[in-house]
Amino acid sequence: MNVYDAIITRRSTRRFQRRAVPEEILEKLIEAGRYAPSGGNNQTTHFFVITDRDVLAELADKAQQAFAKMEVSEGTYPSLASSILRSKQGGYVFHYGCPVLIVTANRKDYGNNIADCACALENMMIMGNELDLGTCWINQLKWLNEDPALLEIFRGYGLREDERICGALAVGYAESENGLPERRPLERKGNEVTRI
Ligand SMILES: Cc1cc2nc3c(=O)[nH]c(=O)nc-3n(C[C@H](O)[C@H](O)[C@H](O)COP(=O)(O)O)c2cc1C
């Protein structure tokens, strides 16, 4: 697959097989994230690659508990409102039961923290498509990046005092008939282009 095809056919995957991603494939994906550009060549994105099923379950549990305590109001961002309402019902797994969750953190007071993490996440999404992996950007841990229980878990794995989670990526083989991610591009209805 060339870069154009990898970009145009990349789609989000939200149903994953349980099977693990082989280590050499995962290494390539992580490398794609680490070779993303960064503001001022700072390279301060901190990648947490989580494959331990117990940790993934614990994160889902803690996130659900945190969302369940929140309330939805008129202006609540729709995806956040959905996370809150589904958590109140119970059984909400924000990472879709993926076998690999790559969490990206960065310095909380660095102006390009989210931009740098987004470059890394996009690189991994494109590379994931090339590697026949399904991927999906996961924002829930960013919304909860001041939650004490989640902070404590990540501190335990080396999240520094001045770092916060900026985004995450669910990764794994798609639960589809052929085991491949959906590759039909969505119609472009926005992303206006003004040529001058
Ligand atoms: C900044 C950002 C945040 C997103 N957060 C989530 C998320 O938390 N959960 C999710 O399932 N998808 C999330 N997505 C995926 C979008 O829903 C998806 O990219 C969009 O619907 C277009 O579909 P496609 O990726 O298949 O082209 C996010 C995407 C971006 C760029």
Side-chain angles (χ1 to χ4, degrees):
M1 193 182 280
N2 62 34
V3 178
Y4 177 83
D5 289 341
I7 291 170
I8 299 297
T9 66
R10 180 220 54 80
R11 292 290 310 282
S12 296
T13 294
R14 297 186 177 85
R15 293 184 62 211
F16 294 95
Q17 301 175 30
R18 276 183 71 83
R19 92 175 141 112
V21 176
E23 192 49 40
E24 66 276 14
I25 305 267
L26 191 53
E27 275 299 328
K28 269 195 173 167
L29 195 74
I30 298 165
E31 190 181 24
R34 294 189 68 216
Y35 272 77
S38 60
N41 192 27
N42 268 326
Q43 298 189 29
T44 48
T45 301
H46 189 165
F47 299 78
F48 294 85
V49 181
I50 307 166
T51 52
D52 184 313
R53 291 216 159 261
D54 292 339
V55 175
L56 289 168
E58 188 186 15
L59 291 176
D61 196 44
K62 292 284 186 287
Q64 178 170 247
Q65 284 174 28
F67 282 130
K69 285 187 217 144
M70 296 164 71
E71 295 303 330
V72 174
S73 63
E74 216 185 308
T76 309
Y77 180 61
S79 302
L80 173 58
S82 161
S83 294
I84 295 169
L85 296 173
R86 290 170 66 189
S87 293
K88 286 183 191 296
Q89 283 167 9
Y92 174 59
V93 179
F94 73 88
H95 53 55
Y96 304 112
C98 61
V100 185
L101 184 70
I102 303 181
V103 176
T104 56
N106 214 322
R107 309 240 169 107
K108 69 174 183 242
D109 298 326
Y110 164 47
N112 287 321
N113 51 14
I114 294 178
D116 285 3
C117 285
C119 286
L121 292 168
E122 176 69 357
N123 265 16
M124 292 190 286
M125 287 190 266
I126 302 302
M127 180 57 94
N129 193 20
E130 152 72 15
L131 296 169
D132 288 342
L133 287 168
T135 59
C136 186
W137 183 309
I138 297 291
N139 235 8
Q140 282 73 9
L141 293 178
K142 185 212 158 226
W143 296 330
L144 297 175
N145 71 6
E146 297 291 346
D147 179 75
L150 284 162
L151 265 178
E152 195 186 320
I153 293 174
F154 280 95
R155 291 253 184 277
Y157 294 117
L159 183 80
R160 295 180 191 90
E161 199 58 45
D162 65 344
E163 290 178 332
R164 289 295 180 280
I165 291 169
C166 295
L169 193 69
V171 179
Y173 291 102
E175 181 69 66
S176 62
E177 253 175 48
N178 58 6
L180 296 172
E182 169 67 62
R183 285 185 166 136
R184 258 175 310 175
L186 284 177
E187 186 197 335
R188 295 300 99 180
K189 58 181 181 182
N191 292 351
E192 186 181 4
V193 177
T194 302
R195 295 177 64 137
I196 296 156

